[in-house]
Amino acid sequence: MSAAPKIVETKLAERANLYEVALRQTHKAAKAINLSPEVATILSQPKNEIITNFPVKMDDGSTRLFKGYRVQHNNILGPYKGGLRYHEEASLDEVKALASWMTYKCALAEIPFGGAKGGIKFNPRLHSQSELQRITRRFTHALGANIGPEWDIPAPDVGTNAQTMVWLMDTYMNVVGMNDKNAVKHVVTGKTVTSGGSLGRESATGQGVVHCIIEWARDQGFRLDGCTFSVQGFGNVGSHTARILSKLGASLVAVGDYRGYISNPEGINAHKLLEHVQKTGSVAEYRGAKSITRDDFFHVEADVFVPAALELEIGVEEAKALRCKLVVEGANGPTLPEAEDVLLERGIHVIPDIMANSGGVVVSYYEWLQNKRSEQWEAEEVEDRLERRMKRTYEQVKTFAENRSVDWRVASYGLALERIARVYEERGIFP
Ligand code: GLU
């Protein structure tokens, strides 16, 4: 362990500007594929940026004003698509970056959606269920016709879940008029299965992360059974990834979240840890592991590291410290570009976010299709389709990276940009 901990938590506002990071990544890929300057210009800013300040009554009778965002980056390939984040540090530039990544994620996965993202700047942990419901419903109302099943389709993200999506759906349904009520369920995905969600959607992002790890291991001749991994963030993505990887015989040796980090070289039981998190809200104080610092966490030896928390968690110091073979980005934008350079120089392979965590939006697409057709697909059908699509993307990115001698992030963005550029070329710019 290092003597003086250099690797400490910083506020999002103290990290790099996320939109600048997104632009730098896009420019690098655009250069590599010789993207037309017209398309590069169009993609350099979102189409629409909506900010709404809306009042909500709190349980104690007081009124509080909330700031909500919805950024619609691009819809050349289909309706805007992307999650809603409830976080106290949500900001316009953050949401803009996340929205642009959705455009590239959907293009890479070859699903007919564009990219969007939204959120509300507040800490959902400080509110009751009834306050969360009123905040969600009022935000949905404030967005009005800016969302719609064929226009812009939200989904869960950090700080939101299936219940949030059901409140959103119900609010939207009740304002479109009786006749259309049941025809608009697909205004949002990631709903509970009982209210129109898809089987397999909840675990889809984690499942997709694991498909990437399986493919990588196959390529490397690396055995997952008996290997070790660490996970940062134990929300939807982190917990499902840990659970599914454990089933394959991999051992979770370190994990952390907003309240603390823990490790156990003998392995941490992902199921028991999840029960603990459901009871206490955090991995901290879990009895089956010892508490460590953030600095220690990034020095833990593990074959695979899955960042599944917030953006820009891996800076240069973290990248120098990591002792792993593979980083699989379950989170969006967890790695600073300079830090990625360090990882690649050190021979650590990086599977980038728009590929690694695309399982969520892929199954969102299946949910959207099921709602449109009034169907309910079996779990196996959803799982098979997801597996095939993740493997296809993996092969495409790998081939692109090999043929053009570029890293996997450039390959992922490059593939996505080429697909978008082709459509702009065919359709031209109106009028
Ligand atoms: N929030 C998830 C993401 O970042 C899912 C988006 C969706 O399903 O639309 O990919």
Side-chain angles (χ1 to χ4, degrees):
M1 304 286 151
S2 61
K6 283 193 240 164
I7 300 174
V8 290
E9 189 76 49
T10 53
K11 287 192 150 292
L12 292 187
E14 289 157 12
R15 301 179 195 176
N17 177 295
L18 200 63
Y19 196 59
E20 278 167 22
V21 169
L23 285 178
R24 274 163 65 192
Q25 291 173 339
T26 319
H27 285 164
K28 194 170 165 195
K31 236 171 103 186
I33 64 156
N34 250 328
L35 181 71
S36 95
E38 287 82 16
V39 177
T41 303
I42 292 169
L43 294 172
S44 70
Q45 287 294 334
K47 284 210 169 171
N48 306 309
E49 301 172 23
I50 300 147
I51 301 183
T52 168
N53 296 296
F54 56 94
V56 181
K57 267 249 182 305
M58 299 290 98
D59 292 343
D60 65 4
S62 65
T63 299
R64 210 183 124 182
L65 200 62
F66 290 85
K67 189 180 282 296
Y69 304 89
R70 187 69 182 169
V71 170
Q72 298 167 331
H73 178 258
N74 189 272
N75 65 347
I76 191 84
L77 296 182
Y80 297 111
K81 184 85 191 81
L84 286 180
R85 169 173 295 204
Y86 289 178
H87 194 271
E88 65 222 314
E89 288 189 81
S91 70
L92 183 61
D93 275 352
E94 179 199 41
V95 180
K96 280 172 68 175
L98 294 163
S100 72
W101 288 329
M102 286 308 303
T103 300
Y104 307 129
K105 198 183 293 185
C106 294
L108 179 63
E110 293 184 287
I111 53 179
F113 286 140
K117 203 80 168 203
I120 308 176
K121 188 180 175 62
F122 81 115
N123 182 350
R125 297 181 207 274
L126 304 180
H127 293 269
S128 67
Q129 283 298 106
S130 65
E131 285 181 351
L132 289 174
Q133 173 166 181
R134 287 196 297 280
I135 294 165
T136 302
R137 287 187 184 275
R138 184 62 199 241
F139 180 46
T140 308
H141 176 78
L143 287 174
N146 289 301
I147 56 168
E150 307 293 333
W151 173 247
D152 183 354
I153 306 131
D157 197 78
V158 175
T160 58
N161 55 29
Q163 174 65 76
T164 324
M165 300 305 117
V166 172
W167 289 327
L168 194 158
M169 177 193 77
D170 187 73
T171 310
Y172 188 86
M173 269 180 147
N174 279 298
V175 296
V176 290
M178 266 191 312
N179 282 340
D180 290 325
K181 198 170 165 175
N182 278 299
V184 296
K185 274 190 180 160
H186 55 307
V187 64
V188 62
T189 59
K191 304 179 287 287
T192 60
V193 174
T194 32
S195 285
S198 175
L199 290 166
R201 172 62 184 84
E202 214 205 66
S203 56
T205 312
Q207 183 66 67
V209 166
V210 175
H211 283 312
C212 290
I213 297 172
I214 293 173
E215 292 310 292
W216 172 84
R218 196 192 317 262
D219 276 350
Q220 304 293 315
F222 176 82
R223 277 185 68 111
L224 287 178
D225 185 11
C227 84
T228 53
F229 69 103
S230 59
V231 178
Q232 189 198 29
F234 211 69
N236 173 286
V237 182
S239 65
H240 283 291
T241 301
R243 193 181 50 76
I244 301 166
L245 260 187
S246 299
K247 254 206 244 164
L248 298 176
S251 172
L252 174 63
V253 290
V255 50
D257 66 17
Y258 73 108
R259 266 181 48 203
Y261 292 85
I262 56 172
S263 82
N264 184 350
E266 302 297 317
I268 298 168
N269 183 313
H271 290 274
K272 288 195 181 145
L273 180 61
L274 185 59
E275 280 171 21
H276 172 81
V277 171
Q278 280 163 350
K279 260 188 248 148
T280 67
S282 161
V283 302
E285 283 147 36
Y286 175 62
R287 279 167 185 275
K290 74 168 195 292
S291 162
I292 56 171
T293 64
R294 187 171 186 277
D295 190 287
D296 296 334
F297 174 80
F298 278 97
H299 283 88
V300 165
E301 193 168 346
D303 297 309
V304 179
F305 172 51
V306 183
L310 289 172
E311 59 265 23
L312 302 180
E313 289 285 346
I314 310 174
V316 170
E317 292 305 325
E318 285 85 351
K320 284 185 192 160
L322 277 172
R323 294 194 289 162
C324 63
K325 299 180 174 68
L326 173 70
V327 172
V328 193
E329 296 183 337
N332 289 308
T335 316
L336 187 74
E338 292 83 348
E340 183 167 11
D341 294 341
V342 173
L343 292 173
L344 297 178
E345 269 163 34
R346 293 185 55 215
I348 298 173
H349 189 75
V350 179
I351 302 188
D353 47 9
I354 62 166
M355 167 180 173
N357 70 34
S358 60
V361 73
V362 165
V363 178
S364 274
Y365 170 52
Y366 300 154
E367 177 174 334
W368 186 76
L369 283 180
Q370 289 171 71
N371 291 162
K372 268 166 90 90
R373 302 171 180 175
S374 293
E375 289 177 359
Q376 175 80 70
W377 299 355
E378 286 175 13
E380 293 74 38
E381 176 161 7
V382 175
E383 281 159 22
D384 287 352
R385 283 184 189 240
L386 174 64
E387 183 174 355
R388 267 183 276 132
R389 202 173 282 257
M390 292 302 303
K391 286 186 175 164
R392 186 173 81 194
T393 305
Y394 185 96
E395 281 310 314
Q396 288 173 348
V397 171
K398 184 178 141 192
T399 308
F400 192 100
E402 281 169 5
N403 289 348
R404 317 242 189 145
S405 305
V406 291
D407 65 55
W408 284 41
R409 189 177 314 273
V410 170
S412 304
Y413 277 74
L415 263 169
L417 288 169
E418 278 189 357
R419 287 175 185 157
I420 294 165
R422 214 168 300 134
V423 177
Y424 270 111
E425 222 170 87
E426 287 167 9
R427 288 171 56 172
I429 293 167
F430 179 84

